[in-house]
Structures are given as C-alpha cells and as structure tokens.
Amino acid sequence: SRPCILHQMGKCSAPCVGLISSEDYQASMREAAQVLEGKGTAFVATLRVQMDKAAEEERFEEAAHYRDQLKALELVTATQGVNDAASGKNRDVVSIAREESEGHAVVLQFRGGRLLAVRHFHLQNTDASIPSEELLSEFLAQYYLDRSRMSAAPDIEAEPGFAGDGSSPVEVLLEHLPPDLELLSKTLGLDFRVLGPTDECEPLERQVLNVASANARHGLELARRKNAGHGIQALEEVQEKLQLAKLPQRIECYDISNTQGDDPVASRVCFVDGAPDKNLYRRYQIKTVVGSNDFAMMREVLGRRFANVEEDLPDLVVVDGGKGQLSQAVAILEELNVQGVAVVGLAKARTESDFRSKEVKSSLERIFIPGRKNPVPLLPHTKAYQLLVHVRDEAHRFAVSYHRLLRSKRSLRSEES
C-alpha cells in the first residue's frame, strides 16, 4: 500500500506501488545494464549537462541529485575499468594453467573496454598426455557452445558488433594456438586472435594476457591446495556410508582401459588419509586375457596385486563398475585368502530415460556392496561422494593415459614397418 523507506531516501523508484510507469522502469533497467556492461561514459556526459542546466535555473536540489548520481556513476565505472585495457573492444581473454592431471582456465570478460568479470574453471582429472593446445581447444568448445553463459537479458538490445547476442565477445584473445582454429572459429561464430611471445601487439593486449595467465596459475595453485586431501571427515563419511569395520585410511582403486580388446591395460591409484599418493600408483599390461573381457582383466590385475604379500594391504578396494566387476574382485580376494580388506564397486551415473522422453534424467553415482541387493546412492554434496568419485576418476585417467601411450607406440611401430 505504500513504498518502503528506500523510496523515502531517494534510493528506489517504488515500482511495487506503481510510482513509476512500466516504460520508465524498463528504461532505467536498460541504462543500469549498460553501465554494468561498461558503457557508462555517455551517461556521465548526460548527467553533467542536466546538472549544469539545473544549477543555472537555480533548481539546486535537482542539481545536487544529479551531482550525487555523477559521483556514484564515476565510482562504478572507475572500479570497472582496468586502464581501459581492451581499447573499447568487446573481448574475452582466455588462459589455461596446467600441472599433471589438473588444469585451471580463466576467462577475462571485457565489454566496452571494461573488465566486467573474471571467470574461473577448474579442470580436474584431465589427460596429462594431451598437449595444452588441445586442452585449450576442448575448453573453448565447451565454454562457448554453452550459450546460457552468454545470454543477454531479453529487454537489452544487442549492441552493434556483438556476435549473436548482447554479451557475446567480438574477439577472443589467446596465448596458445589451438588445433583446428579455423574450424573452431567457424563453428562457434567467434573471431579468435592468438598472440605468441614474438607477435607484435599493443602493450595493453600483452598486459591483459599476462593478467589472465597469472590468474590461471594462481587459481590452479589454490585448487591444488584445496584438493590435496579430503580430510578425516570424508573418511569418516565413507566408513559410515559403506558400513566399514575400520576407517579407510588407505584406499586403492582399479580401472581397465582398452579399445575393443587392443592394448589392454589397467591402473591402480592409492589414496592415503584422503590424499593421492602417486608413489603408490601402478600400471599393468594385461598378459593373460585375449579380446575384450573386462571381468577377466580385472581378475588378472587383482590377482597380480594381492599375490604380492610384501606390499601393505588397503583398507578399502574400489573397482570401477557395478555388480559384475565387484563379484570378480570379491572372488579373487577370497581365492587368495585376503583378510580385512573391504571391496565395493562404484558405478557411474547413468541416463534413466530413452530418446523418446521429453525430459532426460540421470541417476546418481551408485556404490555396490557385497551381499546387498540394491546399490547405495551417493549424493553430490557429501564429502564421501567427492572423495570416492575423485579416487575413481583418478584411476580412470591413469588407465586411459597409459592405454593411449601404448596405442601410440604400436601405431608408430606399424608405420615404421
């Protein structure tokens, strides 16, 4: 029935009680959006003219109002700007930092020469064997094909020169040359520029690339520190969720990788106290199995591992898969009379609806426990989920990278012969 105190203080136009028309309100929202997009320079000039005119006509309260607006607007635009770094362009600046199987991508978003946002994306469990340029290409495709990241508000008109909508960049500035750059540019509808160390460019372009690179390295360092270990609480959650007799201080996970039975390999990763211990990682070439038989391959690998009586036993063994893989693991441990080692199968989330369904639904990650008919679902927000999925994904990454290495060596030998 009446506006709140913000209207009385002059900080709100009170649309809730109809004290501003819909048209004027939409116009003010468009102006606010343009300021946030770095296009507030024109408003500064307009406000100065209105302030001077009101002062000349001795409408001093109105002039003071324009003065306050000017100060607020200048403050906003000053904090937006990074020395007008992009020279008035609408541009994204992208950089990726990498270390082993982890990467961190940063996107600096410049609109109208103003830095509006710094977006961070941690790339966990990447294949360490692929070049940085290929990882960059994959990131660019995923980022820009997701148009929901770039959609403008429906009431904001697209500015001239924008690619497709009101917030897409005209240009994407990169420090590495991704493969198939021409195809990538055509597919995404974006203009990519790559600046190498020796390329001639404006000093500010080099500066913003350096800023993006520094942000990526810093983000990677912070993420690695955060993910170095999952902590005692995660181990306690795993113990409770899986009803283990003791805390799983040493967790081992196994995964198989092959291409229709060719170059079959397996991996073992080991987490101690919730953190990966890469000194305990192992790679296995499958020796006794012919063809694509993941069950038999898992049987061979576990047999080789637990026949080694000199190595410490894990508290928990995780195999990548469902009931079939779990049954193989349980059988081999029983044959070898291995005592005190819990075994579970961790199955990936799966799609629950077919292609005729209007809505696609996915199940949760599921844990299969010996003697239990139904799997235990894992909720994504839990520490147990984050630890077990990290273990499983790390084993998968380690197996796939080894498989690719052997496959490339075989291809090289065949070419030489």
Side-chain angles (χ1 to χ4, degrees), residues 179-414:
D180 301 325
L181 181 63
E182 184 176 347
L183 177 61
L184 191 66
S185 179
K186 183 178 180 181
T187 302
L188 300 177
L190 296 169
D191 178 22
F192 290 95
R193 279 187 61 211
V194 182
L195 290 182
T198 59
D199 291 339
E200 292 187 4
C201 63
E202 299 175 9
L204 290 175
E205 290 182 327
R206 183 67 60 199
Q207 178 187 352
V208 294
L209 269 176
N210 292 339
V211 168
S213 178
N215 271 270
R217 291 194 303 270
H218 183 60
L220 177 61
E221 181 181 351
L222 290 178
R224 287 179 66 84
R225 288 179 186 173
K226 180 180 179 181
N227 296 331
H230 292 265
I232 187 68
Q233 189 175 353
L235 296 177
E236 290 173 344
E237 280 191 16
V238 170
Q239 182 183 11
E240 180 182 2
K241 191 75 174 176
L242 304 185
Q243 300 178 353
L244 304 178
K246 58 182 177 179
L247 195 70
Q249 292 180 284
R250 175 165 171 154
I251 302 175
E252 293 181 2
C253 185
Y254 296 82
D255 188 34
I256 304 294
S257 181
N258 65 91
T259 304
Q260 296 181 342
D262 292 336
D263 304 311
V265 300
S267 69
R268 180 191 85 185
V269 300
C270 184
F271 279 51
V272 177
D273 294 332
D277 187 340
K278 297 193 176 182
N279 292 325
L280 299 175
Y281 282 22
R282 296 292 184 270
R283 288 170 167 171
Y284 301 90
Q285 278 190 269
I286 303 300
K287 299 178 179 179
T288 63
V289 181
V290 178
S292 182
N293 188 335
D294 286 0
F295 293 165
M297 293 178 190
M298 182 63 70
R299 187 179 184 84
E300 175 190 330
V301 170
L302 292 177
R304 288 163 61 182
R305 185 307 184 211
F306 287 102
N308 182 3
V309 295
E310 296 180 356
E311 193 170 5
D312 292 339
L313 291 177
D315 301 305
L316 174 65
V317 168
V318 180
V319 293
D320 182 20
K323 290 183 178 179
Q325 288 83 353
L326 176 60
S327 64
Q328 292 294 319
V330 171
I332 192 62
L333 292 184
E334 289 179 349
E335 286 179 15
L336 296 174
N337 196 28
V338 176
Q339 302 293 325
V341 177
V343 189
V344 297
L346 180 54
K348 295 182 179 67
R350 63 184 180 185
T351 301
E352 295 182 329
S353 54
D354 57 29
F355 67 93
R356 290 184 294 270
S357 302
K358 293 182 179 179
E359 187 176 346
V360 177
K361 297 181 180 179
S362 294
S363 67
L364 299 172
E365 305 274 351
R366 295 154 294 139
I367 305 176
F368 290 88
I369 301 176
R372 175 168 173 154
K373 180 179 179 180
N374 296 321
V376 177
L378 275 179
L379 299 179
H381 67 275
T382 62
K383 294 183 183 297
Y385 170 93
Q386 293 164 4
L387 171 57
L388 291 176
V389 169
H390 187 185
V391 171
R392 192 270 314 280
D393 289 349
E394 181 71 350
H396 180 71
R397 177 199 64 80
F398 199 49
V400 168
S401 64
Y402 187 39
H403 172 65
R404 285 181 174 175
L405 176 64
L406 295 184
R407 188 177 61 189
S408 62
K409 286 183 178 180
R410 178 170 58 84
S411 299
L412 184 61
R413 288 195 298 268
S414 62

Side-chain angles (χ1 to χ4, degrees), residues 47 50-51 54 61-71:
L47 286 174
Q50 291 174 332
M51 180 183 68
E61 288 188 5
E62 188 175 340
H65 174 70
Y66 289 131
R67 179 202 62 202
D68 293 342
Q69 282 194 320
L70 264 175
K71 287 182 178 179

Side-chain angles (χ1 to χ4, degrees), residues 18-243:
L19 296 186
I20 182 174
S21 68
S22 175
E23 293 76 12
D24 290 342
Y25 182 74
Q26 293 294 339
S28 68
M29 291 301 99
R30 285 193 292 269
E31 291 173 354
Q34 288 179 340
V35 170
L36 294 176
E37 289 173 357
K39 306 164 192 169
T41 307
F43 292 113
V44 171
T46 301
L47 286 174
R48 287 193 185 281
V49 170
Q50 291 174 332
M51 180 183 68
D52 292 342
K53 183 178 180 181
E56 288 176 4
E57 297 176 357
E58 298 183 354
R59 292 181 281 114
F60 298 117
E61 288 188 5
E62 188 175 340
H65 174 70
Y66 289 131
R67 179 202 62 202
D68 293 342
Q69 282 194 320
L70 264 175
K71 287 182 178 179
L73 185 56
E74 287 172 348
L75 178 62
V76 171
T77 55
T79 54
Q80 279 180 333
V82 183
N83 298 323
D84 208 14
S87 302
K89 290 186 177 181
N90 305 309
R91 164 190 285 163
D92 284 353
V93 183
V94 182
S95 180
I96 289 182
R98 298 184 73 189
E99 189 170 340
E100 296 179 344
S101 64
E102 291 188 85
H104 195 87
V106 165
V107 181
L108 305 184
Q109 292 185 322
F110 289 91
R111 298 297 182 268
R114 302 286 183 179
L115 178 61
L116 298 189
V118 181
R119 298 186 180 276
H120 289 262
F121 303 89
H122 190 59
L123 314 176
Q124 194 169 340
N125 298 325
T126 63
D127 187 350
S129 65
I130 67 172
S132 295
E133 294 78 7
E134 185 175 335
L135 180 63
L136 173 63
S137 182
E138 291 181 4
F139 171 76
L140 292 171
Q142 292 183 37
Y143 179 75
Y144 288 109
L145 282 174
D146 184 2
R147 291 294 173 179
S148 64
R149 297 186 190 279
M150 306 194 304
S151 60
D155 292 322
I156 301 175
E157 296 180 0
E159 292 294 316
F162 276 57
D165 60 51
S167 59
S168 304
V170 164
E171 179 180 86
V172 181
L173 194 59
L174 309 171
E175 57 183 343
H176 297 296
L177 177 65
D180 301 325
L181 181 63
E182 184 176 347
L183 177 61
L184 191 66
S185 179
K186 183 178 180 181
T187 302
L188 300 177
L190 296 169
D191 178 22
F192 290 95
R193 279 187 61 211
V194 182
L195 290 182
T198 59
D199 291 339
E200 292 187 4
C201 63
E202 299 175 9
L204 290 175
E205 290 182 327
R206 183 67 60 199
Q207 178 187 352
V208 294
L209 269 176
N210 292 339
V211 168
S213 178
N215 271 270
R217 291 194 303 270
H218 183 60
L220 177 61
E221 181 181 351
L222 290 178
R224 287 179 66 84
R225 288 179 186 173
K226 180 180 179 181
N227 296 331
H230 292 265
I232 187 68
Q233 189 175 353
L235 296 177
E236 290 173 344
E237 280 191 16
V238 170
Q239 182 183 11
E240 180 182 2
K241 191 75 174 176
L242 304 185
Q243 300 178 353

